[in-house]
Amino acid sequence: MSPADTANAIAVCIDGPAGHGKSALIERLRRDLGALHEGGAEVSKRSDGAPAASAVAPVTTLLRVKTPRREILIVDAAEPRERLRALESGAAGGIAALLVADARAGAARKLGTRLASLQVCGVRDVIVAVNKMDLAQWHEERYAAVRDVATEAAGRLGVRLHAIVPVSAQSGANVGTRASEAPWWNGPTLAEALEALRPSGRAAGGPLRLPVENAVREGGRFIATGRVESGSLAAGDAVLILPSNRTATVAGFAGGPVSAGMAATGEAASVVLDGAAAIERGDLLCSPESPPKLTSVFDADLAWLGRGELASGRPFALRIGPREVGARVTAVHFVLDAEDGARRVAPAAGEGDVARVSIRCDAAVAVDDASLLPATGRFVVLEDGILVGAGAIDASGYPDQRRARHHAGDVVPVRHQVAGPEREARSGHSGAVVWLTGLSGAGKSTLALALERRLFDRGWNAYTLDGDNVRTGLSADLGFSPADRQENLRRIGEVAALFADAGMVCVTAFISPYRDERARAREAAGKRPFIEVWVRSPLETCERRDPKGLYAKARSGALKGFTGIDSPYEPPDSADLVIDTEHLDVEASTSLLVDFVVARCRRGPG
């Protein structure tokens, strides 16, 4: 084969429900087009010699065939998990899919789920072979039924359908030669459609994304090895290292195929970094001007192939590029109906389902939305080392947890002449932050204001921060985007810490739905007492109360991103105090809160 032919080769993964004729179609392609090579796939290796996360399973069959103008590598993975692994392996590099569907009545069902699974794995280019047309007597309406379902689903999912070809794998009609039985068909044969296929592949340009497969230290420098998934980098470029949020400068490249001192999209590179910033496997080198989002929680469309149901709370390992972290599902929002592709509200996803879920990771990970940067917006799910799912990330509704770094010399803390113990001795209590968290309608503001009143009546210095008095002043410049909400809570945490430093008990009443946000507020308090109080009440009760009418607006679609409806709430793992306002009235809840705070903050008599 000439170099031009090799450059023109494509990889196609064959997919489709059991019994629809995948094996028969592969055999027909082998016989009609001629197999150049056939055998089991080899497991690819990472740079450190271990099997790659995206390695094709050894039992996957590879068939090479050749049309008059190009070579086609057909990947046939018999088991769903093997197929998922093969798709995950090749999608970033431009693998396409050949989806086989039975032409007979009812066989168009589940096409939407199949296309959704392909899309989640990063496949953007699909050819549909409407098989067993001979058993459907080559009736055009049978073909049209499958075509219409596939076209609607592909349009909804953003998948490119290059051709939908009626074929008979049994007779070979419309596979390599035109079907005389279908005078109504004037489109290509399957071989012609495959020959004309031009997969999308990786888009050149874009912001730098280089997942680090391996890192070694040589002298005072680090060498990071990986493949450029987006953008390019050259000697002298500054790069941001995530998740550590440190920067370094590219000093050059160590060996490898990189030429002219630059590595571009799709190229493997060993990048020599100047600076003291340590780097390790799983880090991401990215553009400082256009970084990904650093977050431990995001939404995703997930194709599930694990044993049993995928429900809220199920733990697993999540791998994004070479980085692997523990994770769990916090909510299942809906499952795509296998019959018509509609969104069906369900508490769990079954094997073979594609579901919209919220996921929390044990540590922050650098992610892009899959719709913007597919190569760094997709992940795989593993249980006991076995691949059981793949997903496409949508973090658009979540704030970036990456914080700007300041040079130590730029900020000089003020040394007060009044010490903390002096303040405590005068007031009889320590300063503290009392952080009330819970769903809207749980009773946070009611309890916060009651606590402030009771403490003041005892002669204590106390003040409440809530949404209204913060939004009209301190955060008047902020909107309600995820980033603005995060910044609002950051400011509240810092201001509450200053109140506590001044010897006051600062009470806050905010939903603060994410554990990370509450952890940052605790961190801001430093050594000052920080009391996290979970005002617990179930969603149904809070929605029934709906004191501000917000749940009604959220249910009607007028209010987006409302916690509990279309945005998750993460209960505290270990709150200092839990107040069950579903069963306790205001007086009992207030007494419980006051007694707890007084016991934690009292100093000396009184």
Side-chain angles (χ1 to χ4, degrees):
M1 178 173 292
S2 69
D5 289 332
T6 302
N8 208 26
I10 59 168
V12 177
C13 184
I14 192 165
D15 189 24
H20 285 222
K22 297 189 300 294
S23 298
L25 187 58
I26 289 176
E27 176 62 19
R28 175 57 62 181
L29 287 167
R30 187 188 67 79
R31 288 163 56 184
D32 287 6
L33 301 184
L36 299 176
H37 170 76
E38 189 171 4
E42 295 181 357
V43 178
S44 61
K45 293 290 194 298
R46 298 193 310 238
S47 56
D48 59 1
S54 56
V56 178
V59 294
T60 299
T61 300
L62 302 180
L63 173 68
R64 291 184 183 273
V65 297
K66 191 175 186 303
T67 68
R69 290 194 293 273
R70 76 189 312 181
E71 179 184 320
I72 302 166
L73 172 63
I74 297 176
V75 183
D76 176 28
E79 294 297 322
R81 289 179 184 80
E82 297 163 12
R83 191 176 308 118
L84 191 66
R85 190 180 296 275
L87 288 169
E88 192 275 330
S89 171
I95 195 172
L98 173 57
L99 182 56
V100 183
D102 193 321
R104 291 173 294 178
R109 294 180 302 179
K110 298 189 177 182
L111 267 183
T113 302
R114 287 284 174 171
L115 284 169
S117 294
L118 294 172
Q119 188 260 354
V120 162
C121 293
V123 175
R124 290 164 284 176
D125 305 275
V126 177
I127 291 175
V128 177
V130 185
N131 192 26
K132 302 189 179 182
M133 285 298 298
D134 51 331
L135 299 181
Q137 286 73 53
W138 287 92
H139 288 163
E140 185 177 2
E141 60 271 21
R142 294 287 181 84
Y143 162 80
V146 179
R147 177 201 62 200
D148 293 347
V149 171
T151 301
E152 186 280 329
R156 173 166 38 84
L157 296 166
V159 173
R160 295 173 58 195
L161 280 182
H162 291 257
I164 307 174
V165 186
V167 302
S168 169
Q170 184 65 32
S171 68
N174 253 10
V175 178
T177 57
R178 189 160 297 277
S180 60
E181 304 93 328
W184 47 268
W185 177 251
N186 56 11
T189 65
L190 183 59
E192 290 169 343
L194 289 169
E195 188 175 62
L197 182 63
R198 295 294 184 270
S200 304
R202 293 186 182 86
L208 172 66
R209 301 289 187 270
L210 191 155
V212 178
E213 286 280 358
N214 197 22
V216 295
R217 182 164 190 165
E218 290 188 359
R221 295 177 171 181
F222 280 89
I223 300 177
T225 302
R227 183 177 62 187
V228 181
E229 298 291 356
S230 173
S232 62
L233 75 168
D237 285 353
V239 294
L240 177 67
I241 305 168
L242 291 178
S244 67
N245 200 31
R246 298 180 180 275
T247 57
T249 302
V250 177
F253 299 91
V258 174
S259 60
M262 174 179 287
T265 303
E267 292 184 326
S270 293
V271 186
V272 181
L273 298 174
D274 269 339
I279 191 166
E280 60 185 25
R281 172 178 164 77
D283 284 348
L284 184 70
L285 303 186
C286 53
S287 165
E289 293 78 23
S290 301
K293 186 173 287 186
L294 189 66
T295 180
S296 56
V297 59
F298 51 81
D299 293 337
D301 294 319
L302 192 151
W304 176 248
L305 290 172
R307 302 299 183 192
E309 291 187 329
L310 177 69
S312 178
R314 182 159 181 167
F316 47 73
L318 184 144
R319 184 178 288 158
I320 300 178
R323 180 167 170 78
E324 185 173 315
V325 296
R328 64 184 180 277
V329 168
T330 59
V332 177
H333 300 291
F334 59 79
V335 174
L336 291 184
D337 193 292
E339 301 292 327
D340 57 10
R343 297 178 174 183
R344 173 172 52 83
V345 176
E351 186 173 350
D353 281 340
V354 176
R356 181 75 163 191
V357 300
S358 293
I359 292 175
R360 163 163 280 283
C361 301
D362 293 344
V365 291
V367 301
D368 288 293
D369 288 349
S371 60
L372 301 177
L373 281 175
T376 47
R378 296 186 302 112
F379 63 90
V380 296
V381 174
L382 303 103
E383 288 185 335
D384 298 324
I386 299 172
L387 189 147
V388 293
I393 294 169
D394 176 8
S396 58
Y398 296 90
D400 190 349
Q401 296 174 9
R402 188 173 63 91
R403 287 183 283 176
R405 300 181 63 87
H406 299 284
H407 295 293
D410 294 340
V411 180
V412 180
V414 172
R415 296 182 62 85
H416 292 276
Q417 294 185 17
V418 180
E422 293 181 85
R423 300 181 195 275
E424 293 179 7
R426 172 175 290 186
S427 63
H429 64 86
S430 66
V433 176
V434 182
W435 193 277
L436 276 63
T437 175
L439 292 173
S440 177
K444 299 181 301 299
S445 294
T446 300
L447 291 179
L449 295 172
L451 174 63
E452 179 187 35
R453 178 76 253 178
R454 298 283 184 90
L455 293 179
F456 182 81
D457 290 344
R458 295 178 65 95
W460 286 29
N461 297 316
Y463 188 77
T464 297
L465 296 176
D466 66 9
D468 291 334
N469 63 20
V470 169
R471 285 282 183 178
T472 55
L474 178 67
S475 297
D477 60 320
L478 298 178
F480 291 91
S481 68
D484 281 353
R485 289 175 178 175
Q486 183 189 46
E487 172 59 15
N488 182 48
L489 289 172
R490 187 196 69 80
R491 294 181 186 182
I492 293 162
E494 296 292 344
V495 170
L498 293 175
F499 271 78
D501 195 47
M504 302 184 70
V505 176
C506 184
V507 188
T508 74
F510 295 90
I511 295 174
S512 47
Y514 302 121
R515 297 187 186 101
D516 299 309
E517 295 169 338
R518 301 191 295 266
R520 278 194 293 274
R522 185 182 291 273
E523 181 184 348
K527 296 181 180 179
R528 309 168 192 94
F530 184 93
I531 303 170
E532 183 178 26
V533 181
W534 179 17
V535 184
R536 184 177 65 191
S537 189
L539 176 63
E540 297 76 16
T541 301
C542 293
E543 189 168 0
R544 187 170 61 251
R545 294 169 180 163
D546 203 8
K548 298 181 180 179
L550 300 179
Y551 285 101
K553 289 183 180 180
R555 291 293 187 189
S556 70
L559 183 60
K560 300 294 185 183
F562 189 68
T563 303
I565 302 300
D566 54 359
S567 184
Y569 175 77
E570 297 180 347
D573 284 327
S574 54
D576 298 284
L577 176 65
V578 179
I579 302 178
D580 183 358
T581 58
E582 181 187 18
H583 299 103
L584 296 177
D585 61 19
V586 173
E587 178 59 32
S589 298
T590 301
S591 296
L592 182 64
L593 179 59
V594 170
D595 290 346
F596 190 89
V597 171
V598 169
R600 291 284 293 268
C601 299
R602 180 191 289 120
R603 291 292 182 269

